[in-house]
Amino acid sequence: MDQIDIEVVADPELDEPALVEGLPGVGHVGKLVAEHLVEEFDGTLVRRAYTTEFPPQVTVDDEGVTELTHAEFHHVDADGVDLLVLTGDHQAASNEGHYTLTDAFLDVADDFGCERAFALGGVPTGELIDDDEYGVLGAVNDADAKPELEDADVEFRADEPAGGIVGVSGLVLGLGGRRGLEAACLMGETSGYLVDPKSAQAVLEVLQTVLGFEVDFADLEERAEEMEEVVGKIQEMQGGGGMPSEDELRYIG
Amino acid sequence: MDQIDIEVVADPELDEPALVEGLPGVGHVGKLVAEHLVEEFDGTLVRRAYTTEFPPQVTVDDEGVTELTHAEFHHVDADGVDLLVLTGDHQAASNEGHYTLTDAFLDVADDFGCERAFALGGVPTGELIDDDEYGVLGAVNDADAKPELEDADVEFRADEPAGGIVGVSGLVLGLGGRRGLEAACLMGETSGYLVDPKSAQAVLEVLQTVLGFEVDFADLEERAEEMEEVVGKIQEMQGGGGMPSEDELRYIG
Amino acid sequence: MDQIDIEVVADPELDEPALVEGLPGVGHVGKLVAEHLVEEFDGTLVRRAYTTEFPPQVTVDDEGVTELTHAEFHHVDADGVDLLVLTGDHQAASNEGHYTLTDAFLDVADDFGCERAFALGGVPTGELIDDDEYGVLGAVNDADAKPELEDADVEFRADEPAGGIVGVSGLVLGLGGRRGLEAACLMGETSGYLVDPKSAQAVLEVLQTVLGFEVDFADLEERAEEMEEVVGKIQEMQGGGGMPSEDELRYIG
Amino acid sequence: MDQIDIEVVADPELDEPALVEGLPGVGHVGKLVAEHLVEEFDGTLVRRAYTTEFPPQVTVDDEGVTELTHAEFHHVDADGVDLLVLTGDHQAASNEGHYTLTDAFLDVADDFGCERAFALGGVPTGELIDDDEYGVLGAVNDADAKPELEDADVEFRADEPAGGIVGVSGLVLGLGGRRGLEAACLMGETSGYLVDPKSAQAVLEVLQTVLGFEVDFADLEERAEEMEEVVGKIQEMQGGGGMPSEDELRYIG
């Protein structure tokens, strides 16, 4: 097997699609958004990406049938807006692999004619967030893209996130920029301790506004309620009403 | 030396052999089964696989003579059923190496005309298992293969093992499937703390039923008794009749 | 992307320039010197070096605009003395990468006609240093270069630093020497616990003397005062006048 | 720079030389022997081996002049017996690197016409050894080589060392054997906690007997006395006459 092997599953013509990247990361925000789009709009699998940068592993499905680990591109038709949604279970295993993998992902986006990209993720705040205050932090590889995002309530803060943006999301902007792809990173604020469907919803609201579609949030809201029950139970077990400690939260999800 | 160097030791014609993979893993179940088959049926060494993915190491035999570490393929004639048995002392050292190594192993299987494969291993239960309850968990890369295995008392459980199947065993299914090789993983239940000859016996019983041969279990039973003595001595040292703790067991074997 | 990708930003003719390397290291001494030269003499960016040896990361600027992580070469005209100043935020990620990266950096230096090089860094003393005693330790890849440096108050001590010189600085001397580039390493004494502008100033004074230019130190002096305030506050928090402990200092900067 | 770069320093005709490998390892036994041979017989440097598998580092000599880290081959004329002595400060950084490096070292040995090799090292016993009991454990890649070594008081013990022989020494036997080079590993017993000149002397005595030369041991004896003083001082500091504890010994050397 080559370092990366892109399998063509389907090859539809897309109309100026936006690449939407949602690989695993902080709070699994990006992954939740990407999977929600694929499910709600009944996306079509178009590419599988196998790579020696992923763990040597098969997953087992509900029938006991295995599948070699890979990332997937789905075509999502969101109210007539074409999206090319990238999701999966892993980032690359090495520095070099992140570069090679992102380059291969951007080649796929080129093939489908993507001229802009959204790299989705979470930005950890270190504390639980009140319901109405899920902000979305943005970063762009082209300053011209800021006004449209600011109109959609994306915040830009000088030098944040302080450590930069790492992994495939960062390189979608960095390598994308070098090949002329306008890319934005949308980072939902999240505690950083929990899988965070509410943060995912905040990011989705930005995407809706910017790209002009509407999606049902019921499933994400349900998952958010489940997470709240989990937190509630931990608090009960503690025998107190206070917030769970950071150590308790860190392992939920 | 190349990354992988397959040395041809013998080149017999085999009749639709099954690949049986038994590299080290949980409870050394797969390795015990593979080595038992080679010993009981007096297998013939056919290939040595040297690779820079294995530790830079020689082993020393009972005469003080060294051998460069490698994996081995043996031809085993099991009551007229041809098996190509892969065993050794190591998995690969890197993600990429697991892929490259498994690909090379599957090339050998192709050369001998294997059309099906059994990847053998253990699945940890976290507790000691009663004698009559050594189940065998299965996973397949082709759903059509399930009925035959279920008839041989292999259990299929939705989404188990939860973490998927990693290492060469996982890739025999994953990469094998991509090249049209029907492969099953047979995982003997085992505590996970001990080298487990009883779990190996359970897996062997499945192989016997599916492939249609019979093998003597005396040696495995003897090793099982030895393991029980070890556990018994630990219990005595504890001055109590209770089960040894997980920490005690973890290092036996 | 290739392992290393050197982007040409500008291509001025330089007059026998000296390569000045100031990548991150002990006390960030080399980096402080290199950045100070670029700022004070208003250097011109001439090359960007992208490499898969750097983390897969973009930085975010004060406008929320991202930049793919890279090292930079600036042309600095220091009172008529041409310098080619290399700086950045990272060393390589692997042994092999250090070699490949330094080779590529030396190719750039060759292109600009550099015939000598200064690799800048710090040497840790393990204790805070009195103001007037910031020595500069030297090492050269050609013994003929010593007298000129000794005249500029650089000290040469047998077998020091004891562990040799590691990273890009070491290889500028080691690989540089193999291709005939005369290179010196100038290591400012520093506690090793703090970003150390005073140590940077001591190294700059050597460069001034050897290369024949003068640079304003006001900015470095200001940063040094800021560092002193930080140390002072820690001492106050301790409620005592004693030196902060090593553990306290280790994380400042 | 290539992964390995062998620099030809001199190219003498050697008469059926034996390769003697003494890279760093347990008790630095092999390195002590190799360096002692080069010093006592005033060896001639014939090859430098640079490699990206070594740390990115220069050493600094007593004049403050740097040298890129490398391994060295010396021709040693030991009373008319030609030796090709390999020594250095490092092993390879990766599994794969050990294989590639040893292959390159064996190519050099081939070029000089070596038909046998001695890989030197130490085998840890875990306790200090009485003066007259420094045994030498052997392993060979060809059983025919055993009688000669047994006559020189080398011991062969079934399956020892239990973990096999790792690193360049192991591969000199393993890869050497695959290319028809008769190789023996001579492992001096040593506590494993100290640089051990007495163990080195025991190994040298075997080499003398087998190859037919005599070497002065005065320098090794002097170093052994220095080590004893160090151990003595530790015992005094303990205020007792007992042996230093393992933890005390582990860091000496």
Side-chain angles (χ1 to χ4, degrees), chain A residues 94-96 98-100 103 138-143 146 156-161 163-171 173-175 178 183, chain C residues 1-3 5-8 48-70 91-94:
Chain A
S94 67
N95 272 12
E96 188 271 341
H98 273 95
Y99 286 88
T100 313
D103 252 340
V140 291
N141 65 5
D142 182 342
K146 282 175 62 182
F156 289 85
R157 299 185 205 130
D159 308 312
E160 287 198 30
I165 303 166
V166 297
V168 171
S169 285
L171 293 186
L173 276 74
L175 293 175
R178 295 197 72 209
Chain C
M1 201 176 111
D2 295 328
Q3 190 182 1
D5 183 352
I6 305 286
E7 183 181 304
V8 176
R48 288 191 189 93
Y50 299 96
T51 169
T52 59
E53 283 292 319
F54 287 161
Q57 188 176 358
V58 289
T59 52
V60 181
D61 72 11
D62 54 2
E63 296 290 316
V65 178
T66 60
E67 198 165 35
L68 183 56
T69 198
H70 62 275
Q91 296 264 344
S94 68

Side-chain angles (χ1 to χ4, degrees), chain A residues 21-251:
Chain A
E21 176 267 326
L23 293 174
V26 179
H28 276 216
V29 175
K31 187 168 153 70
L32 284 172
V33 173
E35 290 178 351
H36 189 73
L37 287 169
V38 172
E39 278 156 31
E40 291 298 320
F41 290 113
D42 197 15
T44 307
L45 180 66
V46 293
R47 294 285 186 282
R48 286 191 191 93
Y50 299 96
T51 168
T52 59
E53 284 292 318
F54 286 162
Q57 189 175 356
V58 289
T59 53
V60 181
D61 73 11
D62 54 2
E63 296 290 316
V65 178
T66 60
E67 197 164 37
L68 182 56
T69 198
H70 62 276
E72 295 185 341
F73 289 86
H74 283 82
H75 167 222
V76 166
D77 178 345
D79 293 350
V81 176
D82 274 341
L83 307 178
L84 182 67
V85 178
L86 166 61
T87 191
D89 291 330
H90 303 282
Q91 297 265 345
S94 67
N95 272 12
E96 188 271 341
H98 273 95
Y99 286 88
T100 313
L101 209 51
T102 307
D103 252 340
F105 291 158
L106 293 176
D107 285 346
V108 171
D110 273 355
D111 289 348
F112 279 105
C114 294
E115 288 180 2
R116 72 188 297 184
F118 296 90
L120 309 183
V123 58
T125 61
E127 48 191 35
L128 295 185
I129 297 170
D130 286 342
D131 268 20
D132 302 335
E133 300 177 3
Y134 276 89
V136 174
L137 178 67
V140 291
N141 65 5
D142 182 342
D144 293 346
K146 282 175 62 182
E148 182 186 13
L149 294 170
E150 285 169 330
D151 289 349
D153 287 334
V154 175
E155 294 173 62
F156 289 85
R157 299 185 205 130
D159 308 312
E160 287 198 30
I165 303 166
V166 297
V168 171
S169 285
L171 293 186
V172 163
L173 276 74
L175 293 175
R178 295 197 72 209
R179 50 164 90 191
L181 179 72
E182 186 188 301
C185 189
L186 302 178
M187 293 159 274
E189 289 185 336
T190 174
S191 67
Y193 307 129
L194 299 146
V195 170
D196 195 339
K198 285 187 180 163
S199 180
Q201 191 169 331
V203 171
L204 260 174
E205 282 166 0
V206 171
L207 274 186
Q208 286 190 141
T209 305
V210 173
L211 292 173
F213 63 81
E214 274 187 44
V215 67
D216 190 291
F217 289 151
D219 273 15
L220 282 177
E221 283 162 355
E222 205 176 299
R223 291 196 65 172
E225 277 163 32
E226 287 167 19
M227 290 306 301
E228 267 164 28
E229 278 174 38
V230 170
V231 173
K233 275 181 193 152
I234 290 173
Q235 290 172 329
E236 278 171 36
M237 287 189 302
Q238 296 272 317
M243 288 300 299
S245 74
E246 287 203 7
D247 272 3
E248 289 163 319
L249 291 172
R250 203 175 298 276
Y251 301 101

Side-chain angles (χ1 to χ4, degrees), chain B:
Chain B
M1 199 175 113
D2 294 328
Q3 190 183 0
I4 294 169
D5 182 353
I6 305 286
E7 184 181 303
V8 175
V9 180
D11 227 348
E13 284 284 313
L14 305 189
D15 182 23
E16 295 182 10
L19 174 67
V20 176
E21 176 268 326
L23 293 175
V26 180
H28 276 217
V29 174
K31 187 169 152 71
L32 284 171
V33 173
E35 289 178 351
H36 189 73
L37 287 169
V38 171
E39 279 156 29
E40 291 299 319
F41 290 113
D42 196 16
T44 308
L45 179 66
V46 294
R47 294 284 187 282
R48 286 191 190 94
Y50 299 95
T51 169
T52 58
E53 284 292 316
F54 286 162
Q57 189 176 358
V58 290
T59 53
V60 180
D61 73 12
D62 55 3
E63 296 290 318
V65 178
T66 60
E67 197 164 36
L68 183 56
T69 197
H70 62 275
E72 295 185 341
F73 288 87
H74 284 82
H75 167 221
V76 166
D77 178 345
D79 294 349
V81 176
D82 275 340
L83 308 178
L84 181 67
V85 178
L86 166 61
T87 191
D89 292 328
H90 304 281
Q91 297 265 344
S94 68
N95 272 12
E96 188 271 340
H98 274 94
Y99 285 87
T100 312
L101 208 51
T102 308
D103 252 341
F105 291 158
L106 293 176
D107 285 345
V108 171
D110 273 355
D111 288 348
F112 280 105
C114 295
E115 288 180 3
R116 73 187 298 185
F118 296 89
L120 310 182
V123 59
T125 61
E127 48 191 34
L128 295 186
I129 297 170
D130 285 345
D131 268 20
D132 301 336
E133 300 177 4
Y134 276 89
V136 174
L137 179 66
V140 292
N141 65 4
D142 181 344
D144 293 346
K146 282 174 63 181
E148 182 186 14
L149 294 170
E150 284 169 330
D151 288 350
D153 287 334
V154 175
E155 294 172 64
F156 289 85
R157 299 183 204 132
D159 308 310
E160 286 199 29
I165 304 165
V166 296
V168 171
S169 285
L171 293 187
V172 163
L173 276 74
L175 293 175
R178 296 198 73 208
R179 49 165 90 193
L181 179 71
E182 186 188 300
C185 188
L186 301 177
M187 293 158 276
E189 289 185 336
T190 175
S191 66
Y193 308 128
L194 299 147
V195 170
D196 195 340
K198 285 188 181 163
S199 180
Q201 191 169 331
V203 171
L204 259 174
E205 282 165 1
V206 171
L207 273 185
Q208 285 190 142
T209 305
V210 174
L211 292 173
F213 63 83
E214 275 188 43
V215 66
D216 190 290
F217 290 150
D219 273 14
L220 282 176
E221 284 162 355
E222 204 175 301
R223 291 195 66 172
E225 278 163 31
E226 288 166 18
M227 290 306 302
E228 268 164 27
E229 279 174 38
V230 171
V231 173
K233 275 180 193 153
I234 289 172
Q235 291 172 328
E236 279 172 35
M237 286 189 303
Q238 295 272 317
M243 289 300 298
S245 74
E246 287 203 7
D247 273 3
E248 289 162 319
L249 290 171
R250 202 174 297 276
Y251 301 101
I252 302 173

Side-chain angles (χ1 to χ4, degrees), chain C residues 148-167:
Chain C
E148 182 186 14
L149 293 170
E150 285 169 330
D151 289 349
D153 286 332
V154 175
E155 294 173 63
F156 288 85
R157 300 184 204 131
D159 308 312
E160 288 198 28
I165 303 165
V166 296

Side-chain angles (χ1 to χ4, degrees), chain D residues 61-74:
Chain D
D61 73 11
D62 54 2
E63 296 290 316
V65 178
T66 60
E67 198 164 36
L68 183 57
T69 198
H70 61 275
E72 295 185 341
F73 288 87
H74 283 83

Side-chain angles (χ1 to χ4, degrees), chain D residues 4-49:
Chain D
I4 294 169
D5 182 353
I6 305 286
E7 183 182 303
V8 176
V9 180
D11 227 349
E13 285 285 313
L14 306 189
D15 182 23
E16 294 182 9
L19 174 67
V20 176
E21 176 268 325
L23 293 175
V26 179
H28 276 217
V29 174
K31 187 168 153 70
L32 284 172
V33 173
E35 289 178 351
H36 189 73
L37 287 168
V38 171
E39 279 155 30
E40 291 299 318
F41 290 113
D42 195 15
T44 307
L45 178 66
V46 294
R47 293 284 187 281
R48 288 191 189 95

